[in-house]
Amino acid sequence: MAEASRAYDLSPSEIEGWVEDAKRGMENALRANPLDIREQYEKQLKDLQEAYGEAMLELRARKKLAALMEREDGNRSGRSMRAFWRTGSRCR
């Protein structure tokens, strides 16, 4: 501890505090049921996959809408697309 304290310009009490925090964290990890943790991660993964899918659907819908609007408006100086993206219109 003294060597680390000198090498990194830290007080011994700072290092001792980190060691104690690490010990408490390890104790809590050993108390946790690994299956509970796995279920939590699986739920988080499922939620993230659903959010990703929704974002992809929204992106596809925006692209289709933009293409339809461009086709409908023709070449009117691209005014409709600029207005569409500027207003942040959402397709849901």
Side-chain angles (χ1 to χ4, degrees):
M1 189 174 316
E3 185 179 331
S5 178
R6 282 190 301 277
Y8 298 103
D9 194 30
L10 299 168
S11 69
S13 62
E14 282 180 288
I15 297 173
E16 288 173 359
W18 292 343
V19 170
E20 290 303 313
D21 289 344
K23 285 180 183 177
R24 280 192 298 275
M26 287 185 270
E27 288 172 1
N28 287 336
L30 291 172
R31 285 188 196 124
N33 182 351
L35 292 177
D36 293 340
I37 293 170
R38 181 178 179 168
E39 288 173 6
Q40 289 173 0
Y41 284 134
E42 287 175 352
K43 183 182 180 328
Q44 285 178 331
L45 179 60
K46 182 182 174 190
D47 291 346
L48 290 171
Q49 287 171 332
E50 287 176 7
Y52 176 78
E54 290 172 5
M56 290 304 298
L57 285 174
E58 182 175 346
L59 179 61
R60 287 182 186 145
R62 282 177 171 259
K63 286 181 179 180
K64 285 183 180 182
L65 178 61
L68 288 172
M69 290 177 69
E70 280 296 313
R71 204 176 311 147
E72 185 179 298
D73 289 343
N75 288 329
R76 289 189 225 165
S77 72
R79 187 179 68 214
S80 63
M81 282 305 299
R82 284 193 300 273
F84 171 74
W85 291 112
R86 188 173 32 242
T87 60
S89 299
R90 293 190 174 248
C91 302
R92 289 189 183 210

